[in-house]
Amino acid sequence: MKFTKFATSSLISGLLLGLFSCIDNDYDLNKDINLEISVGGNLSLPIGKTDTIRLSRMIEEGDVLHVIDGKYVINKADNISENIDAIDPVVIDDFAPDFKPYTRRFETQTGEIPDIPGLEVPDIEVEFEADIHTTENFNINTEIPTEVKAVKSIKVTDNNGQTLHTTLDITISGMPVFLPRLYLVGVELKFPQVLDFDIEASNEIVRDGSSIFISKTVELSQGSGKISIPITVYGFSNPIVENGTLILTDEIAINGKIYADKQTVGADDLENTTINIQPNLTLPTPQIRVDKVAGTIVPNVDINTSVSLSDLPDFLKEEGTALEVKDLSLGLSVQNPIEAPISTKFRISPLNENGDVVNDNVVSLALKIAGGQKSDFTITKNSPEITSGSLTALLHTIPDKIDIEVTEVEVESENDDQAISLGKNDYNINIDYNINVPLEFENLRIFYNDTIEDLSSDLADITDKVKHLEISAVVDNAIPVDLTLSVEPRNEAGEIISGITLPESVKIEAAPNGNGTIQSTAVKITIKEERDKALQELDKLSIKIEGVNSDGNNDVTLRPDQFIVVRMSAKLPDGAQMDLDDL
């Protein structure tokens, strides 16, 4: 806001010179005549009026201040786009259980061959059978990244990032060389429920829950044979995670019997014969890799931006200014790159030029963003997304900038498919924001300080002649703010001058808000010299303007077409002492 210095000296000197323009220059006034005379005595002259001073001349639009629909609006729209920090990949070294070989004895059959739905049972007459029950335990104990807070499911691959195709081999040895084959009928391979796997079902292999049932013929050569069961492992569902460590110690079990056909052996051929059995889970790579995790994950983020308010009008940033804006609207449009919903926390901080928080007010927001989508929010002062702080108090005093920071992104998987990939470094969060603050106030208290300088040169010709000056004015005000004007006289060093009396303050009444009505206020400014030659020391006038909304007016809107016009007249109540030689 700029104030134009009024050329008081020109007005007064012009006034006085006009009074003496009629003096006849033919008279010799230089000899033995006192040329000092008193002029005036309650002399009054209209000075005129100022131009219409509109707010548009005092408040300039800039990067963040605009005129929208005829109102001043702080408005800033921009974009933040940053990648979430990649979560370190995890490698599991000892996935396969260490099955020990074991020996079983053939015995005469005592029961019926089991009938499993979906399995083809061979047409054989059983003579002998051997129980092949055995169990082993997984032994996984692997640290997971600290960003992973809770696990719903884990997806794994081989160490090359390919689908984990494993094979369960059951090797049989130690059989008589004449025996051509054996039969596994209804053998159950029972996996832990935590294991997420699948098979290619056939009439030899069927799946029921976490169990696989097998009906296969083991062809023997030199007393040995092997069957292989392909199994695709996808990961783990609801695994145990303790103190940041993935733990899997559950059992894998083989239950069932192996049979010998009566048609291929005699009554005594397998009596007291033992069978050696070696299960083994074969992996395509020695290690497996954790590819994705579904659950609660809090990756590291560094997403922030600053909105500069440096080009706002000076009067809004003066010390002591207090603003209570009616509302502040923050539009946020957040693109979630992850298929799972994310909960985000925003921190909005008003900062001064040193980076310190002003207004003792930091606003925190909590937003939930749908998985893989863009979510739009309009945050106002009563929005439920505000968890702490006051949105409108961000501008209680105008900061140099407003920081917008994403402090946390928490992935909250609702199902196993909503997973985040480990090692992926291009999860990009894209945020469009729009700050919109109409300069509409419920309570307004503004200060403006300025100084009119170098008056001593302008008033040098008259300050020794005038001791008492009255300026009367009628102020037409269309701005809905009460204005109080205070003036202090100062010398060239900037010190307050004693011996000059000025009114303590002048009040200009506010116009009603919004209806275009003009409020006229009559004011009088009296300048009087109480100490000899005090006016001659006058070089500066310190001006302080305080603006507040009037009593009962809790709705103040600043518009560029609002204005002030001042009509003035000057009076010399005590006249002026003039020397005709100076004319």
Side-chain angles (χ1 to χ4, degrees), residues 126-169:
V126 176
E127 181 74 17
F128 294 96
E129 63 186 23
D131 187 349
I132 60 170
H133 172 78
T134 187
T135 61
E136 284 295 343
N137 290 82
F138 285 95
N139 186 28
I140 296 175
N141 191 296
T142 301
E143 288 188 5
I144 60 175
T146 57
E147 295 93 332
V148 179
K149 307 303 179 183
V151 177
K152 183 182 290 290
S153 67
I154 289 176
K155 303 296 184 185
V156 298
T157 66
D158 66 22
N159 207 22
N160 297 319
Q162 304 300 312
T163 302
L164 183 56
H165 296 296
T166 68
T167 302
L168 179 69
D169 298 319

Side-chain angles (χ1 to χ4, degrees), residues 264-562:
T264 59
V265 296
D268 299 324
D269 287 342
L270 294 181
E271 191 71 36
N272 297 319
T273 301
T274 58
I275 180 172
N276 299 321
I277 302 172
Q278 173 65 69
N280 187 53
L281 190 64
T282 304
L283 304 177
T285 57
Q287 298 171 315
I288 68 172
R289 183 179 296 271
V290 175
D291 180 47
K292 296 180 179 180
V293 176
T296 302
I297 301 103
V298 183
N300 296 319
V301 294
D302 184 14
I303 303 172
N304 62 81
T305 192
S306 291
V307 179
S308 174
L309 301 180
S310 60
D311 69 341
L312 289 181
D314 292 340
F315 77 88
L316 288 178
K317 296 184 285 186
E318 287 284 349
E319 184 177 352
T321 294
L323 312 175
E324 189 175 326
V325 296
K326 295 184 68 174
D327 207 351
L328 186 156
S329 172
L330 173 62
L332 292 170
S333 182
V334 185
Q335 177 67 53
N336 182 2
I338 303 170
E339 291 304 314
I342 60 175
S343 293
T344 58
K345 293 182 179 179
F346 284 73
R347 182 167 57 216
I348 305 172
S349 307
L351 305 178
N352 62 19
E353 60 183 5
N354 297 320
D356 301 320
V357 172
V358 298
N359 303 324
D360 194 25
N361 176 63
V362 174
V363 176
S364 297
L365 306 178
L367 310 179
K368 188 161 185 177
I369 319 297
Q373 299 180 26
K374 178 180 283 188
S375 296
D376 297 322
F377 303 88
T378 299
I379 312 298
T380 57
K381 63 181 179 181
N382 295 319
S383 294
E385 291 86 357
I386 300 174
T387 58
S388 65
S390 167
L391 200 64
T392 54
L394 289 171
L395 300 179
H396 185 66
T397 57
I398 297 296
D400 288 279
K401 62 181 180 179
I402 293 178
D403 264 15
I404 302 175
E405 180 183 6
V406 179
T407 59
E408 183 176 288
V409 172
E410 182 176 281
V411 180
E412 298 175 328
S413 306
E414 295 175 342
N415 56 59
D416 293 343
D417 294 328
Q418 295 178 343
I420 186 170
S421 297
L422 304 192
K424 185 177 173 66
N425 59 9
D426 59 353
Y427 281 125
N428 181 268
I429 289 187
N430 192 74
I431 303 171
D432 295 321
Y433 69 87
N434 187 322
I435 299 175
N436 195 77
V437 190
L439 293 190
E440 298 177 323
F441 307 96
E442 292 181 349
N443 289 293
L444 175 66
R445 185 180 182 87
I446 59 175
F447 290 88
Y448 182 79
N449 295 286
D450 203 353
T451 301
I452 299 176
E453 299 186 345
D454 200 26
L455 290 174
S456 57
S457 60
D458 293 335
L459 302 176
D461 294 334
I462 63 170
T463 52
D464 60 338
K465 302 173 179 63
V466 176
K467 307 300 182 182
H468 189 179
L469 173 66
E470 290 182 359
I471 298 176
S472 297
V474 175
V475 181
D476 293 336
N477 184 16
I479 302 173
V481 176
D482 285 333
L483 300 175
T484 301
L485 172 67
S486 303
V487 180
E488 290 180 335
R490 296 180 181 270
N491 59 23
E492 289 186 2
E495 300 164 334
I496 295 178
I497 302 171
S498 62
I500 297 178
T501 60
L502 289 168
E504 184 175 336
S505 63
V506 174
K507 185 174 181 180
I508 301 169
E509 295 183 9
N513 188 59
N515 61 7
T517 302
I518 299 171
Q519 178 67 46
S520 294
T521 305
V523 299
K524 179 183 290 187
I525 299 175
T526 300
I527 303 174
K528 191 171 184 180
E529 184 180 71
E530 303 288 352
R531 176 175 58 81
D532 188 39
K533 297 184 180 181
L535 274 175
Q536 295 180 45
E537 300 174 17
L538 180 64
D539 183 69
K540 301 176 177 64
L541 287 177
S542 294
I543 298 174
K544 179 179 180 181
I545 297 177
E546 179 182 354
V548 297
N549 51 310
S550 58
D551 294 340
N553 181 11
N554 292 326
D555 186 7
V556 176
T557 303
L558 298 184
R559 303 174 182 271
D561 57 354
Q562 292 166 342

Side-chain angles (χ1 to χ4, degrees), residues 231-264:
I231 302 168
T232 301
V233 177
Y234 297 110
F236 314 111
S237 296
N238 298 311
I240 295 174
V241 176
E242 294 181 353
N243 299 321
T245 300
L246 172 66
I247 299 173
L248 179 60
T249 58
D250 301 61
E251 281 187 349
I252 177 173
I254 300 174
N255 298 308
K257 295 183 178 182
I258 188 167
Y259 300 98
D261 184 6
K262 186 177 181 179
Q263 296 177 4
T264 59

